[in-house]
Amino acid sequence: MDMDIPPPIPAQPTRFLDRLRSFIRMRGLAYATEKTYVFWIKRFIRFHGRKHPETMGSAEVEAFLSHLVLQANASVATQRGALNALVFLYREFLGIPLDNLNYEAARKPAKLPTVFSPEEAKAAINNLEGEYRLIAMLIYGSGLRINEVLRLRVKDVDFGMQQLVVRSGKGNKDRITLLPDSLVQPLTKQIEAALHQHSSDLAKGYGSVYTC
């Protein structure tokens, strides 16, 4: 059987899970949601010794959600998925309100960002040469992404206002960023070299387009 095809259920279901599935489908929810909800509700029932959900309530939901974290080491997304399924079961399907739930919440692991200190960044840049050095300086000094540096054009450099126009950046949006003093001279030299090469290619009949 195709795992993405909803299993048939009786027209007048009597079994608990069949009635739940029928209710979910009448609500027009996606089959992926149905599978997720049924998975967590079955796991909840088994956790509590196969008690019927109508005989349980907030205390049992809290115990199950805390178990997912304390014993099963569940992630934030996993616990949230279980919570959504059980809230749907009680509030929507059974019409039983859940009190303010008090359970052990999963926490995102604390991860410190790996970034260079100013001294480390300068040391790395100082070990580069030529265009690679200029690219690193633009990334560090003007906050450009690597693809934004590679798309930079002569027309996007405004020495008078000491700014760069970043075109089609994140979200396909244009933005303006600063041009530090330390980048004026290297960019000027790069533009002069690019224009010289461009003129040379035009004389040879190539007509290429150069970045700065």
Side-chain angles (χ1 to χ4, degrees), residues 28-207:
L29 301 181
Y31 180 51
T33 302
E34 175 185 325
K35 289 193 295 184
T36 300
Y37 282 4
V38 170
F39 169 82
W40 282 116
I41 290 167
K42 288 170 66 175
R43 188 165 169 179
F44 169 70
I45 292 171
R46 289 168 182 161
F47 175 77
H48 286 293
R50 298 184 180 275
K51 291 182 182 178
H52 196 284
E54 290 180 338
T55 68
M56 298 186 285
S58 297
E60 288 78 10
V61 171
E62 291 172 353
F64 178 65
L65 294 175
S66 294
H67 159 77
L68 291 178
V69 173
L70 298 176
Q71 280 76 47
N73 297 317
S75 67
V76 173
T78 297
Q79 189 185 49
R80 186 182 298 118
L83 174 62
N84 291 340
L86 295 177
V87 167
F88 180 87
L89 168 67
Y90 279 97
R91 291 182 181 173
E92 303 296 328
F93 180 59
L94 295 177
I96 299 175
L98 292 174
D99 300 330
N100 293 328
L101 297 174
N102 182 21
Y103 56 90
E104 186 71 25
R107 293 175 176 83
K108 293 183 179 180
K111 293 184 179 179
L112 295 175
T114 303
V115 296
F116 281 173
S117 68
E119 292 74 20
E120 291 171 331
K122 291 175 183 177
I125 291 172
N126 289 335
N127 278 285
L128 299 173
E129 296 180 354
E131 294 179 355
Y132 297 108
R133 180 186 176 94
L134 179 56
I135 289 172
M137 291 175 70
L138 283 164
I139 291 173
Y140 181 70
S142 295
L144 271 62
R145 300 173 179 86
I146 182 66
N147 61 322
E148 294 171 343
V149 176
L150 298 178
R151 288 200 301 263
L152 198 63
R153 298 294 183 266
V154 174
K155 65 180 180 180
D156 300 329
V157 182
D158 186 340
F159 289 112
M161 297 295 292
Q162 281 198 235
Q163 62 186 25
L164 302 173
V165 179
V166 181
R167 303 186 187 278
S168 301
K170 187 175 181 180
N172 201 31
K173 297 179 180 179
D174 296 349
R175 73 177 192 279
I176 294 176
T177 187
L178 59 85
L179 174 61
D181 292 335
S182 59
L183 277 168
V184 172
Q185 185 178 6
L187 267 180
T188 300
K189 289 184 176 180
Q190 178 64 21
I191 290 173
E192 289 174 351
L195 293 176
H196 176 74
Q197 184 65 52
H198 183 53
S199 298
S200 176
D201 285 349
L202 286 177
K204 296 175 183 178
Y206 296 150

